[in-house]
Amino acid sequence: MTRPNPRLRALFLGAGYAFLYVPILVLMVLSFNDSAMMTTWTGFSLRWYHELFADRALLEAARLSLIIAAFTATAAVVIGTWAGYVLARMGRFRGFALFVGLVSAPLVIPEVVLGISLLLMFVELSDLLGWEGSNGAFTIWVGHVILSMAYVSVIIQSRVRDLDRSLEDAALDLGASPVKVFFQIVLPLIAPALVSAWLLAFTLSLDDVVIASFLTGPGHTTLPLEVFSRVRLGLKPEINALATLFMLLVAVFVLIANRVQNRRGYSA
Amino acid sequence: MLRAPHSWRRVLTIAPPFVWLILFLLLPFLLVLKISFADLQFGVPPYTALAEFKDEALSIVLNLRGYVLLFTDSLYVATYLHSVKMAAITTVCCVLIGYPMAYYIARSEPAVRNLLLIGVILPFWTSLLLRVYAWIGILRNDGLLNNLLMAFGLIDQPLEIYRTDLAVYIGLVYAYLPFFILPLYANLVKLDTRLLEAAYDLGARPWSAFISVVLPLSMPGVIAGAMLVFIPSVGEFVIPEMLGGADTLMIGRVMWTEFFNNSDWPMAAAVTCVMVLLLLVPMVLFQYGQVRQLEMRGGRR
């Protein structure tokens, strides 16, 4: 079989990956720079890491973000798996096109649109019901679930489709109820996909600035909100240290997840 | 393979996620549409009601202030055009960089392919905010890029990139490139290479085989990827805010300013509605692709 031109291949892949990774590497190197000016290298130092861990506001924001992300990921996996299963196994039904549209809309809708529409809904709700507490962690959670369940259902939908349907049919023929079939056959088979979907939802929530800006309330500053308010006017050395830690953590996460999936003979 | 499903069971399975989506996605959007026709007022909420029942008369007032302003103020029109232009150029750049990458990844040996794929997915998993922030250190006047170019004597004056449209283009392409590569890769990796071999056997040169076999077959992947880049780019806020100058006009930013700085919610809602209207064609195109893909895959079984 003819192989693609190796020189062109090296050129495009080399340039492409350099584009994707050079900024991250630059940031990591800068995080160890002693200078506060950050544009000239004055020496190796862990000073910004020390400052990072002494920074109360950042740590508090990180705590809130991690909590919201964990709740978001869990809820998004439940609802997203449900929606993905409906897409994969229920065939056509009335409103199918609308359902597909709604499920995948958050993948493309600009986040400012999601943010303002949810905020206006919560405002109307509190106006209508006199419902207090419409601002803060709960509202951010709802916004993040809506955003990340779209990604979850896409992942789960394609995973369920790849399952051998005769297993489910056999169990049904032997008298198992559909609910039992789902929990005892489908769920164990898609478990690796559930794990990666959970992690993806977690990181999406941990990263979101825009939706959180609309839905946050007093005293509920998430990590991205805190970071964004500091960096929109330029470079902040302690944020370099934060970014380095964050990216190393994610890299380890993804590599481990990939190992696990490959060992199970399942390739993404 | 049609089982006669109990219809109430079907309804119970389909309804919960459907209701959730209608409640938290469709309904909120209809509210934006409603409020875009309201007028500004002091109080909570900071806009007027559309329908009022007073003295046994139901009066419905559709306030068009926001829309009139949008279409008469040349600044808004210019902003919309500029956003679409920036998103279009971003999409073209993503296709030019992303297509060869996706193609060569898909044609690699499985072990290498897996590694290369992680390389694309990894940035997708890391914080977009932090990755865009990383560019500030490179593009600034006293940043890495200018320092390097000056050290090599290629330029005497630092290039003015940070806080210009060019920086926003770099940021947008950088942020959305994985969104283009991944769906296209998923398409290309399924490509039957025997078709290519057949083309070669019949005497096609590599380029013409690529253009007449691979390119047409990969179009669904290109379109899906291009929509995933184009649509969010039009409304992007974080990247122009961090890398762009004060004169980098983008709708996402204007809408943000109307909402947070001017507290003009009806105006922000009107800006949003027109943004969605503008994106309706690409969105429908994307959704149509999704539905068709689902039906095709469903029909195969």
Side-chain angles (χ1 to χ4, degrees):
Chain A
M1 195 186 102
T2 36
R3 302 235 47 99
N5 184 331
R7 240 179 252 162
L8 275 178
R9 176 176 183 272
L11 176 74
F12 276 110
L13 288 184
Y17 283 100
F19 179 57
L20 286 177
Y21 283 94
V22 165
I24 297 177
L25 293 177
V26 169
L27 200 66
M28 287 183 173
V29 172
L30 280 179
S31 77
F32 295 106
N33 186 4
D34 190 49
S35 157
M37 293 303 294
M38 301 228 309
T39 43
T40 41
W41 180 265
T42 52
F44 180 87
S45 131
L46 289 177
R47 148 179 188 204
W48 304 115
Y49 289 86
H50 286 295
E51 293 207 2
L52 177 66
F53 284 106
D55 193 326
R56 277 273 153 131
L58 267 184
L59 291 182
E60 186 50 38
R63 201 182 65 92
L64 179 69
S65 272
L66 289 172
I67 294 172
I68 293 180
F71 278 102
T72 296
T74 308
V77 164
V78 173
I79 305 170
T81 304
W82 198 328
Y85 184 77
V86 168
L87 282 178
R89 283 290 191 255
M90 286 293 128
R92 293 211 61 147
F93 48 87
R94 208 178 301 160
F96 182 73
L98 177 67
F99 187 75
V100 177
L102 287 177
V103 167
S104 51
L107 295 179
V108 284
I109 287 186
E111 285 180 335
V112 284
V113 177
L114 279 182
I116 191 175
S117 58
L118 277 167
L119 175 73
L120 292 179
M121 189 194 65
F122 284 121
V123 169
E124 289 270 300
L125 264 186
S126 65
D127 198 37
L128 228 63
L129 308 174
W131 177 48
E132 292 302 318
S134 70
N135 264 331
F138 173 75
T139 44
I140 298 178
W141 173 78
V142 172
H144 286 179
V145 172
I146 286 288
L147 174 71
S148 47
M149 75 169 277
Y151 291 84
V152 175
S153 9
V154 167
I155 295 174
I156 299 300
Q157 177 264 120
S158 87
R159 191 70 194 108
V160 171
R161 260 172 211 286
D162 290 339
L163 295 181
D164 185 354
R165 195 162 182 167
S166 51
L167 285 174
E168 294 157 63
D169 286 334
L172 285 171
D173 287 345
L174 293 170
S177 71
V179 176
K180 196 169 180 185
V181 171
F182 178 77
F183 280 102
Q184 301 218 327
I185 297 183
V186 178
L187 218 51
L189 284 172
I190 59 171
L194 289 178
V195 174
S196 38
W198 193 92
L199 289 173
L200 185 60
F202 188 85
T203 52
L204 281 170
S205 165
L206 205 56
D207 186 33
D208 164 72
V209 189
V210 175
I211 295 176
S213 298
F214 283 96
L215 300 179
T216 187
H220 286 106
T221 308
T222 61
L223 187 61
L225 288 179
E226 181 73 29
V227 170
F228 186 60
S229 73
R230 293 189 194 191
V231 301
R232 68 200 295 184
L233 296 175
L235 292 162
K236 294 284 177 295
E238 76 275 12
I239 301 297
N240 294 350
L242 177 78
T244 305
L245 290 179
F246 195 80
M247 285 167 184
L248 287 178
L249 201 72
V250 170
V252 171
F253 247 27
V254 171
L255 289 177
I256 290 175
N258 194 264
R259 270 282 161 77
V260 172
Q261 285 187 347
N262 284 343
R263 200 168 297 154
R264 290 180 190 234
Y266 159 67
S267 56
Chain B
M1 207 192 301
L2 271 177
R3 255 172 285 115
H6 304 287
S7 63
W8 60 269
R9 240 179 214 157
R10 249 176 96 76
V11 171
L12 273 186
T13 313
I14 294 168
F18 212 164
V19 169
W20 165 272
L21 286 168
I22 287 174
L23 215 59
F24 288 111
L25 205 57
L26 192 60
L27 187 71
F29 189 71
L30 294 177
L31 280 173
V32 176
L33 191 64
K34 186 196 112 178
I35 288 159
S36 71
F37 288 108
D39 199 6
L40 201 59
Q41 75 169 17
F42 284 108
V44 181
Y47 48 84
T48 56
L50 293 193
E52 204 173 14
F53 190 72
K54 205 165 132 190
D55 301 333
E56 295 177 351
L58 178 70
S59 56
I60 296 175
V61 181
L62 288 187
N63 198 296
L64 297 177
R65 178 185 62 102
Y67 291 98
V68 169
L69 208 58
L70 273 183
F71 288 107
T72 49
D73 190 327
S74 60
L75 186 69
Y76 287 110
V77 178
T79 306
Y80 279 106
L81 291 177
H82 196 64
S83 302
V84 170
K85 180 186 146 206
M86 294 200 79
I89 293 177
T90 301
T91 310
V92 171
C93 292
C94 281
V95 174
L96 293 179
I97 302 172
Y99 198 106
M101 285 182 76
Y103 180 73
Y104 288 122
I105 295 171
R107 294 288 308 271
S108 299
E109 303 292 329
V112 182
R113 189 203 292 161
N114 191 27
L115 214 64
L116 289 172
L117 196 61
I118 296 181
V120 177
I121 294 174
L122 207 57
F124 185 77
W125 283 74
T126 42
S127 166
L128 176 77
L129 180 62
L130 294 175
R131 285 187 297 127
V132 172
Y133 162 73
W135 278 101
I136 298 179
I138 299 176
L139 297 177
R140 267 161 49 131
N141 283 3
D142 53 359
L144 188 80
L145 183 68
N146 278 317
N147 280 348
L148 269 181
L149 290 177
M150 292 214 278
F152 285 123
L154 290 172
I155 48 171
D156 319 312
Q157 289 272 314
L159 295 174
E160 199 83 40
I161 302 177
Y162 178 53
R163 296 253 172 250
T164 66
D165 282 5
L166 179 62
V168 179
Y169 282 124
I170 294 174
L172 284 171
V173 173
Y174 174 72
Y176 286 105
L177 189 59
F179 287 85
F180 180 78
I181 295 178
L182 291 176
L184 180 60
Y185 163 82
N187 174 293
L188 284 172
V189 81
K190 280 186 272 176
L191 185 90
D192 191 346
T193 47
R194 285 174 305 181
L195 292 174
L196 261 185
E197 282 170 48
Y200 291 143
D201 287 348
L202 293 172
R205 302 190 52 86
W207 259 108
S208 69
F210 175 80
I211 294 200
S212 53
V213 176
V214 179
L215 205 55
L217 284 174
S218 63
M219 273 329 269
V222 173
I223 291 174
M227 294 302 126
L228 279 176
V229 175
F230 180 81
I231 305 173
S233 296
V234 171
E236 179 61 45
F237 168 75
V238 173
I239 297 170
E241 181 69 19
M242 282 174 74
L243 297 176
D247 57 343
T248 305
L249 296 172
M250 288 200 71
I251 321 174
R253 266 179 122 182
V254 169
M255 182 269 195
W256 187 280
T257 314
E258 293 293 353
F259 189 87
F260 286 105
N261 303 9
N262 306 347
S263 296
D264 190 341
W265 293 20
M267 191 67 207
V271 172
T272 307
C273 285
V274 175
M275 186 196 319
V276 172
L277 206 66
L278 201 71
L279 293 174
L280 216 53
V281 173
M283 274 193 206
V284 167
L285 206 65
F286 176 76
Q287 303 295 10
Y288 177 72
Q290 295 284 93
V291 174
R292 236 185 48 159
Q293 202 187 345
L294 284 174
E295 284 179 345
M296 266 166 56
R297 294 193 65 184
R300 217 175 48 195
R301 271 150 223 268

